[in-house]
Amino acid sequence: MLNLKISNTAIEDVKIIEPKVFEDSRGFFYESFNQEKFNMALGINISFVQDNHSKSSYAVLRGLHYQDAPYAQGKLVRVISGEVFDVVVDLRSDSKTYGHWVGEYLSAKNKRQLWIPEGFAHGFLVTSPEAEFCYKTTNYYNPKFERCIIHDDPILKINWPKLAYNYIINDKDLNGKSFDESNYS
């Protein structure tokens, strides 16, 4: 028994994963990750090599990040506190959804996870007072291969949620390249 619900997004290879949650008056329990069940449910053979955890305040926008080969990363992302609007952009030039994006709300409340294969840029916007974001990666972080696409690229036209005040974005992300300049490899 997998105890996972897998849902499609508008981009075929990006999946929403919802674990079976056991709740009662004491609280809840769920298996947040099981390698064998994950691979079986998605019909793939993935191994994760690194776990990352970040905390951000309201209106912080991070991304759109990716790494080029040979350090391209698949990611399994989730929120353990608060809520984010999570965005994934298809960078695979041979894909029928090249240049398309999907956005999903991930939160501690809905316990949804998002599987993002290699070949996608990723970012998120914090929509709660703060959020803690955790993700597994299939490859190690390597700053020499790290790339960034500007969040408001006019070609992508990402429909980020409107918030009570301006997004908080670091200089590196503000200086991201355009989608046309991304040249994912």
Side-chain angles (χ1 to χ4, degrees):
M1 183 176 207
L2 293 178
N3 291 331
L4 295 174
K5 178 183 174 190
I6 308 294
S7 302
N8 294 322
T9 67
I11 299 176
E12 183 179 347
D13 295 327
V14 177
K15 304 291 185 186
I16 298 168
I17 300 170
E18 296 177 81
K20 182 171 174 105
V21 180
F22 302 92
E23 292 186 82
D24 61 25
S25 61
R26 300 168 298 159
F28 69 84
F29 169 84
Y30 71 94
E31 191 173 74
S32 63
F33 180 74
N34 177 304
Q35 186 79 55
E36 183 178 50
K37 290 177 184 178
F38 177 82
N39 285 348
M40 188 182 309
L42 293 177
I44 56 178
N45 187 20
I46 297 291
S47 295
F48 293 103
V49 298
Q50 185 173 321
D51 280 353
N52 300 313
H53 185 145
S54 70
K55 182 177 179 180
S56 302
S57 302
Y58 176 74
V60 167
L61 193 152
R62 297 184 184 268
L64 301 158
H65 301 144
Y66 66 97
Q67 287 188 178
D68 276 331
Y71 287 93
Q73 295 177 317
K75 296 178 182 177
L76 179 62
V77 304
R78 68 188 179 117
V79 171
I80 62 169
S81 173
E83 179 186 75
V84 306
F85 182 70
D86 200 80
V87 172
V88 181
V89 177
D90 192 344
L91 302 178
R92 304 168 301 167
S93 60
D94 60 346
S95 168
K96 65 183 177 186
T97 54
Y98 173 70
H100 294 204
W101 64 273
V102 293
E104 295 289 336
Y105 283 95
L106 305 179
S107 70
K109 185 175 181 179
N110 70 23
K111 297 172 184 56
R112 289 175 143 194
Q113 299 177 39
L114 203 59
W115 163 241
I116 307 161
E118 292 179 8
F120 292 84
H122 172 257
F124 64 87
L125 172 66
V126 178
T127 57
S128 57
E130 64 182 26
E132 291 194 47
F133 190 87
C134 295
Y135 60 103
K136 298 179 167 309
T137 64
T138 60
N139 210 337
Y140 297 102
Y141 171 70
N142 188 314
K144 291 180 182 175
F145 292 85
E146 181 182 30
R147 307 290 182 262
C148 181
I149 297 171
I150 190 74
H151 74 284
D152 59 355
D153 182 88
I155 293 171
L156 297 176
K157 297 180 184 169
I158 295 171
N159 189 19
W160 295 99
K162 304 292 185 241
L163 299 180
Y165 55 89
N166 293 336
Y167 304 146
I168 302 166
I169 306 171
N170 71 12
D171 288 340
K172 181 171 81 173
D173 290 355
L174 281 174
N175 292 312
K177 294 185 178 214
S178 70
F179 177 72
D180 278 349
E181 297 173 303
S182 62
N183 297 324
Y184 172 74
S185 60

